[in-house]
């Protein structure tokens, strides 16, 4: 054979065989030897049928005869995907193309054989990965579907979609996305953030949130839709809304009732007070000693009743959120002088000395009337609970960023276990120095609420028998707007991983923050309403829920809208910021970065 053609034949990457009419091998190249695993001398003269797996041989012989009857070239890759049997017994997938080769009137055949094991393995792998992708889709715990972009007909749905909507897969595939929409909603109603109202097969409505991603599916332009059933969340929000409006109207009703009741009570009381005064002054004729004592009892008790009514009314106004604070620049020394002048007579009667030490330059940003009310309350308590001949001192000072006023007395004192409770409504510890309870038990409760409304704090330092010191703070004039009066800001953290909780506690508690952990969206909302945190931190990746829903609800609710929300997540995605989050950090969070963020969003009140 021509040298050049021989080289060409041997260099060919595919196996090449020449076979005579009986199927005997006449020629084979290098690649052919390698492919079948036989030596050339073994192959030459061997029947080509022996290179076909035993079970396929009869069919193969028939093929050969057909070919002989109508010889025509058949290129590779067309229907001729076959199995070849190697010498070692291994079957390999091959592609074969054959063409007739006339030789001296006898029909010979040239076969070119290609080993396609690799291509087949690759195709297998592709098929497997497609099956896996399908499985991921199918097993996804949220409802997912794929629809054709133009017709909006469903091309595929997963098990959860079937479960949620109640249609079978076949039913789904005959529907379009439009068929799911609630008929009563506007035909193309969809809010900006993908909220939709859908209807299940049984007619129930569900609220869903849809995320769409364009894709190709079965060679068509399509969209993958990931749905989230937010019916429960919506219902929760509605329940809250309802509860709130009910509470609001109840509280309005209560305030109205109190206002009218106190009016009704006060009018006859004024009459009682007025007439007993007339009697006491003897204008209608002198009273004997006994009668005078009786009238004094009437006067004293009706005064007490009047104070009680006024206090209750005050408190109910505060509780109903109807307290109006008109803050202005207020000189503390001026206020103290005014307060002292009001109680001077009372103090004199018990021979109690009142001294003041309030620097002239202390100016608070506060409501004068309310500060005066607090001061008078503290002073009259001090007089009430200090034995005759005692001392009272009023002091003013700066306390960090705040201003402080304190009223100290040399009276009977308050035991440590009552230091907090005396600020509760109707809580009274001690008899007064006269041995009778005179007050209403509401004074300090009102003081605390007033002070906190103005952005300050109030507390007592005292020991039984060693006098008491009541101190309250106010923001200074010209300072910043009053901050919430919490010394340790409270962070509400949605994090279900105990180890991560521990770590955050470690980082933040030492820095002066209190942490409240919650582990579900529902709990987040409930706690947010309950504790009104200074900052909410949300972990976005919770099993079965997305922290984004918590964010959405927090931003929807009137009470929680203003609370800054920081989002912590492993995935970098700024959706949260668009939805109103104040900051965004990715996990793992470095300590310094976290602290900087928390300090910025939940600044501490310096006390
Ligand atoms: P009240 O009308 O009884 O004074 P407050 O709320 O003003 O109500 O005070 C609650 C209780 O706190 C008082 O009943 C008393 O037991 C205690 N208390 C208040 N001020 C003093 C004080 N300066 N010294 C001792 N005890 C006090």
């Amino acid at each position: 054979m021509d040298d050049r053609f021989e080289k060409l034949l041997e260099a060919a990457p595919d196996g090449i065989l020449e076979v005579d009419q009986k199927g005997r091998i006449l020629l084979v190249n290098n690649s052919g030897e390698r492919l079948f695993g036989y030596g050339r001398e073994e192959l030459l003269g061997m029947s080509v049928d022996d290179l076909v797996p035993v079970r396929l041989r009869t069919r193969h012989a028939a093929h050969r005869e057909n070919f002989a009857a109508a010889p025509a070239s058949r290129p590779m890759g067309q229907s001729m995907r076959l199995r070849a049997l190697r010498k070692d017994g291994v079957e390999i997938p091959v592609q074969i193309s054959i063409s007739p080769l006339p030789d001296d009137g006898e029909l010979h055949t040239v076969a070119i054989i290609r080993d396609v094991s690799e291509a087949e393995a690759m195709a297998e792998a592709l098929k497997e990965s497609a099956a896996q992708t399908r499985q991921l889709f199918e097993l996804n715990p949220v409802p997912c579907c794929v629809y054709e972009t133009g017709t909006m007909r469903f091309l595929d749905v997963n098990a959860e979609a079937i479960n949620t909507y109640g249609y079978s897969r076949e039913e789904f595939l005959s529907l379009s996305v439009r068929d799911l929409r609630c008929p009563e909603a506007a035909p193309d109603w969809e809010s900006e953030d993908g909220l939709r109202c859908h209807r299940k097969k049984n007619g129930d409505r569900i609220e869903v949130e849809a995320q769409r991603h364009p894709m190709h599916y079965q060679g068509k332009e399509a969209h993958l839709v990931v749905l989230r059933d937010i019916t429960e969340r919506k219902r929760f929000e509605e329940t809250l809304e309802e509860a709130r409006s009910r509470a609001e109207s109840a509280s309005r009703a209560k305030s109205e009732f109190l206002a009218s009741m106190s009016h009704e009570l006060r009018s006859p009381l004024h009459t009682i007070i007025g007439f007993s005064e007339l009697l006491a002054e003897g204008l209608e004729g002198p009273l004997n000693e006994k009668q005078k004592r009786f009238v004094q009892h009437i006067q004293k008790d009706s005064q007490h009743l009047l104070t009680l009514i006024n206090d209750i009314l005050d408190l109910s106004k505060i509780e109903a959120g109807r307290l109006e604070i008109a803050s202005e620049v207020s000189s503390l020394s001026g206020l103290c002088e005014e307060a002292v002048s009001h109680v001077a007579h009372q103090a004199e009667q018990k021979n109690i000395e009142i001294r003041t030490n309030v620097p002239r330059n202390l100016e608070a940003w506060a409501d004068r009337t309310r500060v005066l009310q607090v001061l008078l309350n503290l002073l009259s308590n001090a007089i009430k609970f200090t034995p005759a001949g005692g001392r009272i001192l009023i002091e003013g000072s700066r306390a960090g960023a705040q201003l402080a006023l304190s009223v100290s007395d040399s009276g009977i004192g308050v035991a440590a276990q009552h230091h907090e409770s005396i600020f509760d409504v109707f809580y009274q510890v001690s008899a007064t120095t006269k041995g009778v309870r005179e007050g209403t038990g509401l004074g300090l409760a009102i003081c605390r609420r007033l002070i906190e409304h103005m952005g300050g704090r109030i507390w007592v330092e005292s020991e039984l028998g060693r006098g008491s010191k009541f101190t309250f703070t106010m923001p200074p004039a010209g300072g910043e707007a009053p901050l919430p009066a919490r010394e340790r800001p409270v962070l509400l953290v949605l994090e279900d991983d105990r180890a991560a909780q521990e770590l955050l506690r470690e980082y933040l508690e030492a820095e002066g923050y209190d942490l409240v952990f919650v582990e579900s969206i529902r709990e987040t909302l409930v706690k947010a309403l309950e504790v009104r945190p200074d900052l909410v931190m949300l972990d976005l990746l919770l099993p079965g829920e997305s922290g984004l829903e918590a964010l959405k609800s927090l931003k929807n609710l009137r009470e929680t809208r203003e609370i800054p929300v920081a989002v912590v997540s492993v995935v970098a995605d700024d959706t949260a910021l668009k939805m109103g989050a104040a900051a965004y950090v990715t996990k793992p969070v470095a300590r310094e970065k976290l602290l900087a963020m928390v300090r910025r969003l939940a600044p501490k009140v310096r006390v």
Side-chain angles (χ1 to χ4, degrees):
M1 192 185 291
D2 179 58
D3 193 40
R4 195 170 160 68
F5 281 115
E6 183 170 339
K7 273 191 188 145
L8 210 75
L9 187 72
E10 297 303 348
D14 293 334
I16 299 176
L17 297 179
E18 183 186 345
V19 179
D20 70 11
Q21 218 162 349
K22 295 202 187 71
R24 261 197 312 271
I25 298 170
L26 302 176
L27 179 141
V28 60
N29 70 347
N30 266 332
S31 296
E33 286 178 81
R34 252 200 327 277
L35 191 96
F36 293 107
Y38 289 97
R40 190 167 302 209
E41 42 320 318
E42 290 176 283
L43 282 170
L44 293 177
M46 191 168 141
S47 165
V48 75
D49 292 348
D50 294 338
L51 299 177
V52 175
V54 184
R55 65 194 150 83
L56 303 173
R57 270 182 206 162
T58 357
R59 213 175 72 191
H60 187 256
H63 277 314
R64 247 179 342 97
E65 273 157 32
N66 287 345
F67 180 73
S73 290
R74 279 185 192 159
M76 224 174 248
Q78 264 194 8
S79 75
M80 288 304 244
R81 287 195 64 217
L82 297 169
R83 303 270 141 188
L85 181 67
R86 290 164 45 108
K87 185 180 178 184
D88 58 12
V90 176
E91 280 184 27
I92 51 168
V94 287
Q95 276 183 355
I96 302 178
S97 59
I98 46 178
S99 41
L101 181 76
D103 190 81
D104 290 338
E106 206 194 327
L107 179 73
H108 288 188
T109 308
V110 181
I112 298 180
I113 305 141
R114 178 173 292 174
D115 177 354
V116 291
S117 320
E118 240 171 66
E120 207 175 87
M122 209 134 85
E124 229 12 79
L126 270 178
K127 231 162 72 191
E128 198 175 305
S129 102
Q132 276 167 357
T133 311
R134 179 69 186 61
Q135 203 177 16
L136 284 181
F137 171 79
E138 181 67 20
L139 298 180
N140 199 321
V142 297
C144 301
C145 53
V146 180
Y147 69 84
E148 193 183 352
T149 308
T151 62
M152 294 185 99
R153 291 208 160 275
F154 288 107
L155 299 174
D156 202 350
V157 287
N158 74 348
E160 189 52 31
I162 291 170
N163 189 19
T164 305
Y165 286 90
Y167 291 109
S168 71
R169 189 177 303 276
E170 293 66 40
E171 286 171 325
F172 251 119
L173 297 187
S174 68
L175 295 175
S176 97
V177 177
R178 294 190 192 93
D179 299 322
L180 293 189
R181 294 185 187 158
C182 280
E184 62 270 26
D188 277 311
W189 177 75
E190 180 175 18
S191 74
E192 223 168 86
D193 45 4
L195 294 184
R196 283 180 172 286
C197 169
H198 277 180
R199 201 177 42 163
K200 299 184 185 187
K201 188 181 178 184
N202 67 8
D204 287 355
R205 285 167 61 119
I206 54 169
E207 309 271 352
V208 290
E209 192 181 79
Q211 280 180 322
R212 278 180 301 180
H213 311 275
M215 68 180 305
H216 279 272
Y217 193 83
Q218 297 167 346
K220 293 173 181 144
E221 295 273 337
H223 274 90
L224 167 68
V225 188
V226 179
L227 294 163
R228 186 167 284 135
D229 183 350
I230 55 166
T231 318
E232 173 76 356
R233 189 189 97 198
K234 281 262 156 180
R235 207 170 289 154
F236 182 55
E237 280 177 19
E238 276 163 22
T239 320
L240 272 179
E241 188 59 49
E242 239 178 77
R244 176 171 46 217
S245 70
R246 231 180 295 135
E248 272 171 6
S249 63
S251 135
R252 236 192 335 271
K254 185 178 117 191
S255 316
E256 276 160 18
F257 167 73
L258 282 169
S260 67
M261 182 202 73
S262 54
H263 177 76
E264 296 298 317
L265 288 177
R266 268 192 296 194
S267 315
L269 254 183
H270 280 300
T271 318
I272 296 171
I273 292 169
F275 281 114
S276 51
E277 238 164 46
L278 284 181
L279 281 179
E281 282 168 18
L283 292 179
E284 297 301 320
L287 302 180
N288 65 31
E289 281 312 305
K290 206 171 182 179
Q291 286 168 331
K292 267 188 197 156
R293 255 198 347 270
F294 288 178
V295 170
Q296 274 165 12
H297 283 314
I298 296 173
Q299 279 183 308
K300 191 167 151 280
D301 275 2
S302 37
Q303 273 303 341
H304 181 239
L305 212 50
L306 191 60
T307 320
L308 185 63
I309 291 167
N310 288 339
D311 279 358
I312 289 178
L313 193 65
D314 230 4
L315 201 63
S316 80
K317 258 197 216 152
I318 300 176
E319 305 276 70
R322 291 221 316 249
L323 177 76
E324 273 153 31
I325 297 276
S327 288
E328 56 185 322
V329 178
S330 314
S331 151
L332 293 189
S333 59
L335 276 169
C336 292
E337 278 162 25
E338 197 178 333
V340 172
S341 72
H342 272 97
V343 295
H345 177 66
Q346 250 178 293
E348 255 166 46
Q349 283 185 329
K350 280 181 89 176
N351 190 24
I352 291 172
E353 178 200 12
I354 303 182
R355 282 192 299 133
T356 50
N357 179 13
V358 182
R360 294 239 153 246
N361 60 358
L362 291 186
E363 289 188 327
W365 181 251
D367 184 324
R368 291 179 56 86
T369 325
R370 296 307 185 175
V371 176
L372 196 62
Q373 187 181 348
V374 172
L375 267 175
L376 282 176
N377 211 301
L378 296 183
L379 282 171
S380 65
N381 276 352
I383 295 169
K384 203 156 61 177
F385 297 105
T386 300
R391 286 182 319 278
I392 294 174
L393 172 64
I394 308 174
E395 286 172 295
S397 62
R398 291 186 190 280
Q402 302 269 89
L403 299 181
L405 274 183
S406 65
V407 176
S408 316
D409 63 56
S410 58
I412 59 174
V414 182
Q417 76 262 30
H418 304 299
H419 283 187
E420 268 308 303
S421 326
I422 53 172
F423 293 96
D424 292 343
V425 285
F426 295 119
Y427 194 94
Q428 294 176 303
V429 188
S430 34
T432 59
T433 49
K434 290 180 199 153
V436 207
R437 287 208 175 164
E438 293 176 19
T440 59
L442 289 174
L444 290 177
I446 294 174
C447 289
R448 172 161 278 182
R449 285 164 171 80
L450 290 175
I451 291 298
E452 289 184 350
H453 257 82
M454 289 187 279
R457 295 198 306 132
I458 181 167
W459 67 95
V460 65
E461 292 155 274
S462 178
E463 258 178 69
L464 209 55
R466 300 186 157 228
S468 315
K469 180 179 183 182
F470 285 83
T471 309
F472 63 96
T473 60
M474 289 152 289
E480 289 178 13
L483 288 164
R486 261 188 220 154
E487 224 180 307
R488 287 174 67 88
V490 176
L491 311 188
L492 181 67
V493 187
L494 172 58
E495 170 63 76
D496 64 334
D497 181 61
R498 293 295 156 94
Q501 290 185 358
E502 178 95 42
L503 193 67
L504 285 172
R505 226 184 254 293
E506 200 59 29
Y507 283 170
L508 292 165
E509 281 190 344
E511 292 290 318
Y513 295 95
D514 283 335
L515 275 73
V516 177
F517 285 104
V518 282
E519 303 190 357
S520 72
I521 289 173
R522 205 193 171 93
E523 214 188 333
T524 310
L525 299 179
V526 171
K527 278 283 170 201
L529 288 169
E530 187 184 312
V531 299
R532 302 293 162 94
D534 298 279
L535 172 66
V536 179
M537 282 169 49
L538 297 177
D539 188 330
L540 287 196
L541 282 185
L542 293 178
E545 322 190 278
S546 160
L548 286 180
E549 292 195 26
L551 174 62
K552 211 172 277 181
S553 294
L554 287 170
K555 293 293 157 196
N556 272 348
L557 292 172
R558 197 182 335 148
E559 288 87 346
T560 54
R561 194 171 291 158
E562 303 298 328
I563 303 174
V565 178
V567 164
V568 185
S569 164
V570 282
V571 283
D573 175 357
D574 65 353
T575 324
L577 293 183
K578 291 191 194 130
M579 287 167 54
Y584 188 88
V585 275
T586 43
K587 266 186 180 177
V589 190
R591 183 171 174 279
E592 276 316 309
K593 214 166 138 193
L594 178 77
L595 284 178
M597 181 193 78
V598 171
R599 282 191 200 115
R600 177 169 68 83
L601 295 177
K604 271 185 277 185
V605 187
R606 276 163 292 141
V607 181

